[in-house]
Amino acid sequence: MDVVSWIAIMIIVVTIAVLSTRRFSPTVVLIISNMVVAATIMIGSYDSFDMIIKFELGFKTILFHEGKELWTLITSLFVHGDLWHLMFNMIFLLAIGIPLESRIGRGRFVIIYFIGGIVGNITFAIAEWNAMPVFLIGSSGAISALLGAMIMLYPKEKILFFFGPILTNRFPVWAPILVWFAIQLIMMPFDTPVAYSAHLGGFAAGAGIAWMIRPKDAYIREERIVLNISPLEALCTSSSLKEMYDYAVNARENETAMMWVESILKGIRCPSCGSQIIIKGKGFECVNGHKIS
C-alpha cells in the first residue's frame, strides 16, 4: 500500500479516537479530518484525487462481495472525488450536523454517522451486485443518515438548510429533506456517477437508529441531570430562551442538557440585581449571592 494511503488511514484512526472522547464537536472534527485527508492525498500523490483513492481507500463492491478489504467501509467515508465533491458534502455536513449534534448529543451523533455510512455502502454494494466492478467514495451516505435522523426526531424544526438551491430557515426541516428524498428516488434508476442507493441506505439507517433512540418519558427521567433547572423557566422570556429550556429539559444526555443550560445562563440575569447567574450546587444563584428559585 502506498505511504500516502497509510498516512490517510492514520488520520482516520486518530479522528475516530478523538470522536470517541466526545470532547469536541463531531461535526467540526469530521470536517477538519475530511479536509486534512484530502490535502494529504493531493500533496502526496501529485494527482489531485485519483489512483490512491480508487485502488486503496475507496470502497470496492467486487472485493466486498468476496469479503475482502472490509475496512474500506470506513475509509471510503473520508475520501472524495474532487474539491467540488468534498466542498458540497462538507457544506451539507455543517448545515445538518451542528443542529443535530446539539439536540441528540455527540455520542449518538457519531453512532448514526458511521453506522449510516457503512449501511449506505453495503446498500450500494447490494444494488450493484451484478454490475461491473465499481468504486464508492465520499461521506454522502453518512450525511444522509443524519438527514434521516433529523426528520425522524425533529421534523418541525426550522434550521438553516438547503431548499433546492436556496439556503434558508423559513421551512420546517421535513420539507427540504422530503424534496431531497424524492430526488434520490427519481434519479436512482438512471446511470449516473452519483450513488443514490447509498444515500437512501444511509437515510434509512439514520431514521431507524433515531426511531430507536427517540425520547421516551421514563427513560428521560432516568437520565435527567441531577441539577434542578426548573427555576430558570420563569427567566426564559424570549422565544429562543424558551426553546433552549425545552431542549435542556428533554435532553437525553447530561452533556447535551448542560450545553443548553450554559447557553441559557448567557442570556438571562438575576431578577433581583441584574447580575450574572451561575450554577451553585444543585441549583442557581447570581454572583452577588441571590438564590434563583
Side-chain angles (χ1 to χ4, degrees):
M1 183 179 290
D2 192 279
V3 174
V4 177
S5 293
W6 281 114
I7 295 174
I9 290 173
M10 288 297 296
I11 295 170
I12 294 169
V13 171
V14 170
T15 299
I16 294 173
V18 171
L19 290 172
S20 69
T21 67
R22 299 195 296 182
R23 295 180 60 186
F24 308 99
S25 163
T27 301
V28 174
V29 170
L30 287 166
I31 290 174
I32 293 174
S33 179
N34 275 276
M35 294 175 68
V36 172
V37 168
T40 300
I41 293 171
M42 290 179 67
I43 295 170
S45 68
Y46 303 102
D47 195 14
S48 186
F49 296 80
D50 192 18
M51 299 296 288
I52 293 177
I53 293 177
K54 290 185 177 180
F55 292 101
E56 295 185 350
L57 300 180
F59 175 67
K60 298 169 277 290
T61 56
I62 190 170
L63 293 183
F64 174 78
H65 298 160
E66 297 172 357
K68 299 177 181 178
E69 295 191 11
L70 298 183
W71 46 270
T72 60
L73 285 166
I74 297 292
T75 58
S76 61
L77 303 179
F78 289 85
V79 291
H80 294 81
D82 53 39
L83 287 176
W84 287 108
H85 186 200
L86 172 67
M87 183 177 69
F88 190 74
N89 275 351
M90 293 305 98
I91 290 174
F92 261 87
L93 175 55
L94 180 65
I96 197 70
I98 294 296
L100 183 60
E101 71 175 58
S102 68
R103 287 160 172 78
I104 66 174
R106 294 169 179 172
R108 288 180 173 86
F109 179 94
V110 171
I111 290 172
I112 290 173
Y113 184 89
F114 281 104
I115 291 181
I118 291 171
V119 171
N121 284 345
I122 293 174
T123 304
F124 177 77
I126 294 172
E128 302 291 333
W129 195 274
N130 295 318
M132 294 291 290
V134 289
F135 301 95
L136 181 60
I137 53 176
S139 53
S140 53
I143 296 170
S144 298
L146 303 181
L147 298 180
M150 191 71 183
I151 198 172
M152 176 61 69
L153 296 174
Y154 307 102
K156 297 180 180 179
E157 293 291 323
K158 291 183 178 181
I159 64 172
L160 194 62
F161 198 61
F162 294 95
F163 197 91
I166 304 172
L167 188 63
T168 179
N169 62 351
R170 295 186 61 186
F171 301 96
V173 73
W174 65 262
I177 293 180
L178 227 65
V179 171
W180 172 90
F181 186 79
I183 292 172
Q184 311 309 300
L185 288 177
I186 293 170
M187 295 300 296
M188 191 170 67
F190 295 96
D191 185 16
T192 73
V194 180
Y196 292 106
S197 57
H199 297 176
L200 292 173
F203 182 88
I209 297 171
W211 183 83
M212 289 187 287
I213 67 169
R214 69 195 188 282
K216 300 174 183 177
D217 291 342
Y219 190 58
I220 292 173
R221 285 196 298 271
E222 181 181 324
E223 285 197 347
R224 183 164 293 171
I225 55 176
V226 176
L227 182 67
N228 177 23
I229 66 173
S230 59
L232 300 182
E233 184 175 11
L235 303 179
C236 296
T237 54
S238 68
S239 58
S240 60
L241 286 171
K242 290 178 181 178
E243 188 176 31
M244 291 180 194
Y245 181 82
D246 288 339
Y247 288 144
V249 169
N250 294 306
R252 303 197 64 229
E253 287 189 348
N254 288 348
E255 62 177 359
T256 306
M258 289 304 300
M259 181 194 71
W260 288 115
V261 169
E262 290 169 0
S263 297
I264 291 170
L265 294 180
K266 294 177 182 177
I268 60 177
R269 288 293 181 266
C270 174
S272 300
C273 64
S275 61
Q276 181 183 1
I277 297 173
I278 59 174
I279 298 172
K280 190 73 171 181
K282 296 182 180 180
F284 302 89
E285 66 178 43
C286 74
V287 293
N288 293 325
H290 297 115
K291 292 191 177 296
I292 308 301
S293 59

